[in-house]
Structures are given as structure tokens and as C-alpha cells.
Amino acid sequence: MGFYSYLAVRSINVFLVIVVTMALTIGLFFNAFHDIKVQAIKDEVRGIISGICRTNPARCQNQTDIQNYANQLTATLMHAQGLDKPWYEQLWPILRDILSFNFGRAQSLQADNGDNTVSVIIAERIPRTVLLLGTAVLLTTIIGLVLGLYSANKPQGILDKTVIVAGLTSNAFAAWWVGLLLQFIFAYQLRLLPPIGIMDYTIPHNNFFDVFVDVLRHLTLPLTSLVIVSVGGWALVVRNLLISTLAEDFISAARSKGVPERRILFGHAMRSAAPPIITIVALSVAGIFGGAIITETVFQWNGLGWLIWQAIGRLDMPVILAFFYISTILIVIANFIADMLYGIFDPRVKTG
Amino acid sequence: MSKFFSRNKPLIKEFFSRSFGIIGVALLIFYIAMSIAAPIDAPNVLSNWISIDAWQDNPRAVPPVWYMQLINAPYFPTITLESTNHEDSNLTGLYQSVITITLSNTYQGLPTGFVFYITYEYSSQVLTTLTVVRPDNNNITLNVGNAISFPVTNKTISYTTRLTSDTPQLKEDIYKWLSSHKINLTGFPSSANIIIGHMLFSKLNQNILYRENAEPLQGIYKFVLYAFSFAPVSITDFKIIIDGNAYGIMGTDGNKRDVWAGLLWGAPIALMIGTLTSLFSLIIGLVYGVYSGYFGGRLDEILMRIVDVLISIPVLPLLILFLVYFGRASSIWIIIFLISIFGWMGIARVARSSALQIKGYPFIEASKVAGASNTWIIFRHIIPQLLPYAYASLALGVPAAILTEASLSFLGLGDPNLPTWGQILNHAQDISAVQFGYWWLWIPPGLLIAGISLAFVFIGHALDEVLNPRIRRL
């Protein structure tokens, strides 16, 4: 099996996971999905009725009459969308809507331009979360790799002992609590960095560089808190993987051949330990994502995490369901990319 | 029990020869001590945690006493004075009862408020006043009688009343006292405009009007409470609570709750959440994985695909979805149930691969030949082999569960009736504790969460090293 068929199999797998997950979710939360649609129809009918009353006030004189008309209209629209059918016949239309990112309208949340379509609200927040999350994963991976590599090269050295202790201890801290701590020290006490937000709209931004610096200043604290709690454990994993690789014969052979130390570490050892490392990066994305949700609320970073916090506060069910779907896709895609890279680095797995 | 220790003596010795093991056990003992201390030190807190009445006599959001001493700031601790030592007398038909409470004020700071609890035993109309005798002899007379609406009665009854520094009559009396001592009250048209919490203990000059400017007056204070009636009367109990600008070991939160009591109770709750959740997910994961691996074939394939799907669902968003859908203020049992339901997949994978390995060993075949059932083999032969792994993953599952509960609580999805550390952090975030410098509301619970997680991480790590000698080489 070549690389492309491996790719195809994996892609089908990804799609299946998403469909199965969402089908199960719809089954579990059927009432919520149903209510969202019914609510949308009721809102629509209310709009139609008030339109009639505005253009033709005479028709609105009789309250029972207009109420009957509204009920009739609601029933017709519900029938047209199949909402009066038994639940098992409604599953597929709901699933189709969800899979095509049609989540309906939010109950109270809005996008920056005032639009309350859930997909617009979500689409607006995704880049901000990806900026925070992506930078955090990237920095964690790079710092963790370098630390893990050097500590594996000198077991029981000072760096190695530090990495072991840091790896065991840092998992015990919640990223958002570290975020609170950094916010307290660097934003409220030392006043070096802004405590909350993505950009400071009160200062003028003349060019792209100004915007970049402003966002970077706001990004520093949430990013640092995410990296601090994950980099230790990550370095420990890399160290444990590499320490067994470095004991193997081909490393000794390379050493006796006179290959420079740096090349042994980054070329030979790293290349051979790459596949498991990539898998663990992918798995750690989910963990960092969990931490990022709450870190965003601490720093009021206007991404998906801050959105879900707002949605919980207002019990905005369409947004919460959409958030769940989007975060599932994010995690599944991260795993998919890892699988692809795994295939590139380790030719043996392509038969799967 | 003793048999267990004698049989495993080398392992236990090995465990305690590791510094991680010792630190972990020491930390765990600390949290167990906290759990034991909680019901002794703060017995009613668990049922009263969200009650507003239970905490109404405390000051709001004040730091701990030791902190004020440490930073050398002027402070006045929260103190309670009580006396039942009443002197009753009868002067030709006029009955009188007096209670005196004496306070020697040596504090450099000023209080923020006061609360009086007075219990009268009377059978007819009562006239009562409270005189505060100050060190500078500018005594204050508070017409507490006007503030109390005594139930009318013709037989002897006991009645307890509560007066605070917000009671309008007391503010009125202090307002009169200020104006009779030539304090310029421009800008304060009526008694409703002044805050009197600190005034009893302040020097009588123009600065007294604002607590930030007022100067404390040290010396001996006497609170003399009189009651008169034409029928027998006695003040059976007089209690003064002076709300300071500092409170106890860990201060108070925005709802006037004692943070120390909440932190203490957080320990048993966190231990319960952690161990139960970890245990449940371990049992589910072990049984599921071993069944899958042992029976193999099509069943194994299906079971493992289910795990593949479940493991790629992000747990925190899923928990958020469930908890919002089933009502935001979920009980702790629902949270424990949900975290364990979504936390067993990793264990199942490991258990499956071990079961695959073990079922090929000759002794399994031998017991099959001897007529053992599949259930017998799984529970008597395979699962016991996995116990070393199980102990370590039990310990490592605890911090994950505690952190998840704290995260959910922080998002406002926890059990609001219980003082978990996550709930305390959630409240701290609600009142912007970080911004306003209420460090005692968010630093201690965060450190306690980290500490309890570390205890189990260290124990798990040491167990792993002792019980799985293979990884020791790494």
C-alpha cells in the first residue's frame, strides 16, 4: 500500500469518527437540537406576525385570530422541516445540518458585526484560538524536544534531574491557575504586560507592525502559562524515548565513526525516535486545548474558550453544541496530521 | 494487613528508599490530616457553605491576620466578646438589668463594622440603652431600644435581637453624637450618608468621617447595656462581634465566608473525587480492555474501534456539554460519574495489549484444560497480573480527576453547595480577586490543588518504578 492509499484510509477514518461522534451526540442531546429548531421557527413566525401588524394594523385587531394564524403558521413550518416526525426520522436532517456547519442561530450571543448565526460567531473566533493554541503547541514541542534531547544525552546530569522534576511537577498545575499567577505578577503588580484582551483598541495602530507588537504583548502571558505547564512533561517524554535510542548500537557506531555530536543527536537519534514523538504531540494537542479553554477565559482572549464561557453563562445551547463539534474536528484533524507525519517518518505503518 | 506488609516488605522498603515516594506520602499525610481536621475545626461548614445567614457576621473580603502582621499594616482582627454576667436589681418596682463588656483596644487598625446580639428575658415593656464608654470620655449612647421591636407579651419570654453597624437607629445615634461634638457634617445631610463601622474606635476629630483617614483610639472601652422594665427583666446574654480588617487564618471571601474552613473541607472532597473517579475509570478500563484482548477476533475489533472514537472526543468540551444540558448546578456525584465515564479509554488500551500477551502464556492454557471458565481466568489470572500497572495508574488518575473537577468548577459547572477548591477559585474569579489583590482567595486553593496532584504523581511515579522494574533503566 502506497502513501496515498494510507492517506485515503486515514481520511475515511477521520470522517467516520466525526460522523459517529456527532450521531451519538445528537442521539443523546436530541431534545436540545429539536428545541433549537423549534425556537428558530417560533422566532421566524414572530417576525412575520409583527411584519403583518406593521403593514396592516387592521388584521391585528383580533388577538385570538392572529394567535390562531401564528399557531397555524408554526405548525406548517414545523411540518415543512419535518419537526413533527418521530425522533428517529429527524436524526439524519439534524446530522446533515451539523456536518455542513449549519448550527442555526445563537440565543443571545453575537458576532462582532452583530450577526447571531452560530457558524459566523464560531468562524470569527477560530483564528484567535488557533493563534494561541498553535503557538503554544509549536513552542512546547520545540522547547521540549531540545530539553529532552540534551537531558537524554547526559543522564543524571543537572539538566536531566531538572527535567525529571519539572516533568513530574508541571502536570500538577492547571494552566489557568498559572495564568492567574502570571497575570497577577506581570500585569497587575509589575504592570509590564496587558492583563486581558487580544488588542488594545484605545491606542492607534498605524501599520501592521503596530498590530503585531500589540497582539504579541497580549499573547505573551496566556502563551507562557500554557507552555510552562506542558513543556516539562513533554521534555520528560522525549527524554525517555531518546534515552533508549541513544543506547543503541547504531549511535555507538556513528560516534566511533566520528560523526559530530550535534548531528548524532538531531540527525540519528531524533530521526529514529520521531514517530512516537509525533503521536504524543498530537495527543498533547487535546490536553493543551483543554487548558486553553479556561486560560482564554482568564485572559479574556476572545477565542473559542472565552466564547464557551460566555455561552455557559447564558445557557446558549446552539453555541455550546457547535463548540463541541468544532473542538472535536480540531482534535481529530490534529490526530490526522500526526498520522500523516507518522507515515512519512516511519514507512512501516503504511500497510495499516 | 500485617501479612500484606510482611510479604511485600522488600517492595515497601524500596518504595520508601525513593525520595519521590517519601515526598508523595508526606504530602498525602498532610491532606489526610486536613481531611480529619475539617469536621473538627469547622463542623457546620459543609451544610452552611452557600447559606448567606451563616456567614453574615463576618467582614467581607478581608485578608488573614498573620498577613497584616507580616506586612506590618495597621490591623484590627475580627473578635467576639460575650458576657452572660448580668446584674439584676429592683428599685421599688422598677426592675433593672445591666451587662458590661470591657475591651482593651491595643490595635493600630480600625474595624469595619460591628454586630450586637442581645437576649432579653422580659414580660412587660422594656426600655434599653447601650452606653459605649470610650477612653477619651466622649461616651456614646445608643438607643438600642428604639431599634428593637420587642414582641408584646404578658408572660415571661426570651427574645434575641441582632443589631449591626448598618442599623438605621444606631447610625442616627452616632450622627447625633458627631454633631453634638462639633464635627462638621457638611456633605452628610442625614445619618443614612455616614458609615459608622469604624467610628466607635476612632479618635473624635474631623478625620473620623472616612475610615481611610480616621485615627484609631487605643485604650479601655466599656460597653454598658441597660434594660429597665416595670416587670422582672434581665439581659441573659450580650455578644459583640467586631468585624476587623483581618480575619482568622485565611481571611474571608466576597460572601463573607471563612476561606480557611472552605480550604479545609476542600481536602476530603478532593480526595473523594480523585480516588472514586480514578477507581471507577480503572475498573471500567481494566475489565473492558481485558475482555477485548482475551476474546479477540471480531469482538476485539469492534470494542477497540469504539475506544478509537471515544478517545478522539475532547473530554472537557464533552463534559461542558453534558453539564450544561443536565443543569448547571450538578451534584458532585454526577460530576464524578461523568469524569469516570470519559476517562477509561487509555487504561483499556494498555489492559488489552497486556491481556493479549498474557493469554498466550502456558498457565492460561493449563487452567483452561483444568476446566476454568473465561470469567474465572479473566478475574483470577489476567487481572491480578495487571495489578502493578493498575496501582500506578490509580495514583496517576487522581490528579487528572481533581484538575478536571477544578476546571469545571472554575467554569461555573461544579457543585455550588460544596466548598471545593475549584469553587473557591470560581468565586475568586467572579469578584476579580486577582485584579483587586485578594490573593488569599486564589493562591491557597491553587497551591492545594497542585500539592494534592503532586502527592499522587510522586506516589504513582515511585510505585511505577518499584513495581515495573523494566522502566527503571530508562
Side-chain angles (χ1 to χ4, degrees):
Chain A
M1 225 191 249
F3 183 72
Y4 288 104
S5 47
Y6 174 67
L7 187 89
V9 169
R10 285 281 132 191
S11 312
I12 293 168
N13 233 354
V14 163
F15 186 71
L16 276 180
V17 166
I18 291 175
V19 170
V20 170
T21 308
M22 288 327 288
L24 285 174
T25 314
I26 292 165
L28 272 171
F29 301 104
F30 178 75
N31 284 338
F33 286 100
H34 188 80
D35 290 348
I36 291 167
K37 293 204 147 188
V38 172
Q39 191 58 45
I41 287 176
K42 282 184 178 161
D43 288 346
E44 200 185 333
V45 169
R46 202 173 301 133
I48 294 172
I49 297 293
S50 68
I52 291 173
C53 290
R54 220 178 304 117
T55 49
N56 187 2
R59 272 194 72 185
C60 290
Q61 292 299 319
N62 193 339
Q63 275 297 321
T64 43
D65 219 31
I66 198 77
Q67 193 56 48
N68 284 343
Y69 177 65
N71 290 344
Q72 200 186 337
L73 199 60
T74 311
T76 317
L77 285 170
M78 284 197 23
H79 182 71
Q81 294 198 20
L83 290 172
D84 51 352
K85 284 184 193 158
W87 65 273
Y88 47 86
E89 285 182 41
Q90 293 184 43
L91 288 184
W92 168 242
I94 295 177
L95 185 62
R96 200 179 48 205
D97 274 359
I98 295 283
L99 292 179
S100 55
F101 299 97
N102 180 7
F103 308 112
R105 290 178 183 280
Q107 277 153 9
S108 63
L109 286 165
Q110 288 180 341
D112 287 348
N113 60 6
D115 195 343
N116 69 347
T117 312
V118 175
S119 46
V120 174
I121 301 176
I122 297 261
E124 184 180 83
R125 308 284 185 116
I126 286 178
R128 301 166 188 166
T129 291
V130 169
L131 174 65
L132 177 61
L133 191 66
T135 333
V137 171
L138 199 71
L139 269 185
T140 308
T141 311
I142 295 170
I143 299 175
L145 273 182
V146 173
L147 283 180
L149 199 58
Y150 280 108
S151 61
N153 200 25
K154 274 213 189 82
Q156 304 304 318
I158 295 173
L159 180 69
D160 188 39
K161 282 183 175 154
T162 318
V163 163
I164 293 179
V165 173
L168 288 176
T169 51
S170 62
N171 276 338
F173 290 88
W176 44 270
W177 187 75
V178 175
L180 288 176
L181 201 64
L182 294 177
Q183 197 180 42
F184 178 68
I185 297 170
F186 292 102
Y188 290 121
Q189 295 297 310
L190 302 177
R191 299 188 177 280
L192 289 175
L193 291 163
I196 53 169
I198 293 185
M199 262 169 74
D200 189 349
Y201 295 101
T202 58
I203 58 169
H205 298 92
N206 297 321
N207 49 34
F208 178 75
F209 182 72
D210 281 3
V211 176
F212 177 77
V213 169
D214 196 17
V215 172
L216 194 66
R217 275 167 53 81
H218 284 86
L219 182 67
T220 309
L221 289 181
L223 182 65
T224 314
S225 56
L226 285 175
V227 171
I228 282 180
V229 296
S230 37
V231 80
W234 175 223
L236 188 62
V237 169
V238 174
R239 169 206 176 262
N240 287 348
L241 284 170
L242 280 171
I243 214 161
S244 49
T245 313
L246 284 171
E248 293 203 22
D249 292 344
F250 73 94
I251 298 284
S252 318
R255 279 215 175 103
S256 56
K257 218 163 55 175
V259 178
E261 191 64 25
R262 184 181 273 259
R263 237 186 107 196
I264 291 179
L265 286 183
F266 287 95
H268 295 67
M270 195 73 113
R271 165 113 203 175
S272 116
I277 289 176
I278 289 164
T279 316
I280 297 163
V281 171
L283 288 177
S284 75
V285 171
I288 297 180
F289 182 73
I293 293 175
I294 309 179
T295 308
E296 276 189 11
T297 71
V298 166
F299 289 99
Q300 300 190 10
W301 183 265
N302 202 355
L304 288 175
W306 177 230
L307 176 73
I308 189 70
W309 191 82
Q310 293 170 314
I312 292 171
R314 298 160 198 211
L315 287 177
D316 207 325
M317 208 58 191
V319 177
I320 294 172
L321 285 165
F323 168 79
F324 172 66
Y325 178 53
I326 296 294
S327 43
T328 308
I329 290 185
L330 275 181
I331 301 305
V332 171
I333 287 178
N335 287 340
F336 174 73
I337 294 173
D339 275 350
M340 290 299 98
L341 291 173
Y342 202 109
I344 293 170
F345 278 94
D346 190 349
R348 282 171 301 176
V349 299
K350 280 177 198 162
T351 45
Chain B
M1 200 69 183
S2 63
K3 207 172 149 194
F4 174 83
F5 280 117
S6 60
R7 197 174 37 179
N8 293 314
K9 208 172 177 185
L11 287 182
I12 292 167
K13 215 173 156 188
E14 169 124 36
F15 179 87
F16 282 105
S17 72
R18 279 153 209 285
S19 47
F20 280 135
I22 295 172
I23 298 172
V25 170
L27 274 173
L28 186 61
I29 289 172
F30 168 75
Y31 283 98
I32 291 172
M34 267 180 90
S35 312
I36 295 168
I40 300 167
D41 191 50
N44 297 323
V45 168
L46 208 53
S47 48
N48 285 339
W49 186 247
I50 49 165
S51 141
I52 291 170
D53 290 352
W55 306 99
Q56 61 181 348
D57 296 334
N58 287 347
R60 193 182 296 280
V62 296
V65 173
W66 58 265
Y67 172 70
M68 297 300 265
Q69 291 168 340
L70 192 74
I71 63 167
N72 221 352
Y75 74 96
F76 196 106
T78 303
I79 47 178
T80 304
L81 305 159
E82 191 165 9
S83 175
T84 52
N85 192 8
H86 53 102
E87 291 166 22
D88 296 354
S89 54
N90 179 1
L91 306 159
T92 60
L94 180 67
Y95 294 86
Q96 182 194 333
S97 180
V98 186
I99 283 192
T100 305
I101 288 180
T102 309
L103 164 69
S104 167
N105 176 20
T106 56
Y107 299 109
Q108 303 292 321
L110 283 168
T112 53
F114 53 80
V115 183
F116 299 135
Y117 279 100
I118 312 167
T119 307
Y120 297 93
E121 235 175 57
Y122 66 101
S123 54
S124 171
Q125 200 182 4
V126 182
L127 296 168
T128 175
T129 61
L130 171 64
T131 303
V132 184
V133 181
R134 289 163 42 105
D136 61 358
N137 287 323
N138 292 318
N139 299 348
I140 309 170
T141 304
L142 299 170
N143 292 315
V144 288
N146 289 359
I148 307 170
S149 46
F150 286 102
V152 179
T153 175
N154 45 22
K155 56 179 191 295
T156 306
I157 58 163
S158 182
Y159 178 68
T160 303
T161 187
R162 176 177 181 271
L163 302 169
T164 72
S165 44
D166 293 326
T167 307
Q169 178 62 43
L170 304 190
K171 289 176 102 169
E172 186 65 43
D173 292 336
I174 299 240
Y175 191 79
K176 278 182 195 147
W177 175 71
L178 290 174
S179 59
S180 71
H181 284 87
K182 311 269 183 302
I183 301 293
N184 180 6
L185 289 162
T186 323
F188 297 92
S190 80
S191 63
N193 303 76
I194 57 169
I195 291 167
I196 62 165
H198 61 282
M199 287 186 181
L200 300 182
F201 297 92
S202 302
K203 281 185 184 157
L204 183 59
N205 53 34
Q206 195 59 40
N207 291 339
I208 196 172
L209 291 171
Y210 295 101
R211 186 171 174 276
E212 306 84 74
N213 307 335
E215 299 148 38
L217 175 68
Q218 283 107 352
I220 307 286
Y221 286 77
K222 276 190 184 139
F223 295 82
V224 191
L225 180 64
Y226 299 95
F228 304 99
S229 179
F230 290 108
V233 64
S234 58
I235 309 166
T236 49
D237 190 20
F238 180 29
K239 186 159 88 168
I240 305 174
I241 299 163
I242 301 167
D243 288 343
N245 60 351
Y247 182 93
I249 302 172
M250 267 302 154
T252 58
D253 69 6
N255 292 347
K256 303 187 173 187
R257 292 178 290 207
D258 182 356
V259 178
W260 175 246
L263 292 175
L264 270 186
W265 273 104
I269 299 171
L271 284 175
M272 185 190 80
I273 294 170
T275 43
L276 282 184
T277 311
S278 182
L279 193 66
F280 289 153
S281 21
L282 179 73
I283 292 171
I284 301 173
L286 265 190
V287 173
Y288 189 98
V290 169
Y291 260 89
S292 177
Y294 179 75
F295 289 108
R298 175 96 22 113
L299 179 75
D300 181 36
E301 188 66 25
I302 294 169
L303 290 180
M304 280 301 117
R305 286 296 84 76
I306 293 175
V307 167
D308 283 349
V309 172
L310 287 178
I311 215 165
S312 56
I313 301 174
V315 177
L316 198 60
L318 186 63
L319 289 174
I320 290 173
L321 186 58
F322 263 95
L323 289 172
V324 172
Y325 188 66
F326 294 116
R328 271 195 298 179
S330 303
S331 104
I332 197 72
W333 302 110
I334 291 181
I335 293 170
I336 290 175
F337 173 77
L338 286 177
I339 302 178
S340 5
I341 286 291
F342 298 114
W344 53 269
M345 285 82 73
I347 298 168
R349 274 190 178 170
V350 177
R352 172 191 173 259
S353 59
S354 306
L356 273 180
Q357 206 179 354
I358 294 167
K359 83 169 177 182
Y361 289 160
F363 76 95
I364 300 287
E365 228 163 304
S367 57
K368 262 189 197 160
V369 172
S373 70
N374 286 332
T375 316
W376 176 272
I377 290 173
I378 285 174
F379 285 96
R380 280 311 179 93
H381 292 316
I382 298 182
I383 289 185
Q385 300 269 333
L386 290 174
L387 283 184
Y389 164 74
Y391 290 136
S393 80
L394 188 65
L396 294 172
V398 172
I402 291 173
L403 282 175
T404 310
E405 192 279 334
S407 301
L408 289 172
S409 286
F410 189 74
L411 286 172
L413 294 169
D415 187 342
N417 300 310
L418 291 178
T420 69
W421 296 323
Q423 286 293 337
I424 296 174
L425 283 165
N426 172 253
H427 171 77
Q429 187 68 3
D430 276 352
I431 63 166
S432 305
V434 177
Q435 189 179 352
F436 294 127
Y438 304 152
W439 60 266
W440 59 96
L441 291 183
W442 61 274
I443 292 184
L447 287 179
L448 284 170
I449 292 173
I452 203 167
S453 307
L454 282 182
F456 284 96
V457 169
F458 285 165
I459 291 174
H461 180 75
L463 273 179
D464 222 10
E465 280 195 333
V466 172
L467 298 171
N468 305 337
R470 255 178 311 159
I471 68 159
R472 237 182 287 172
R473 273 183 282 119
L474 298 181

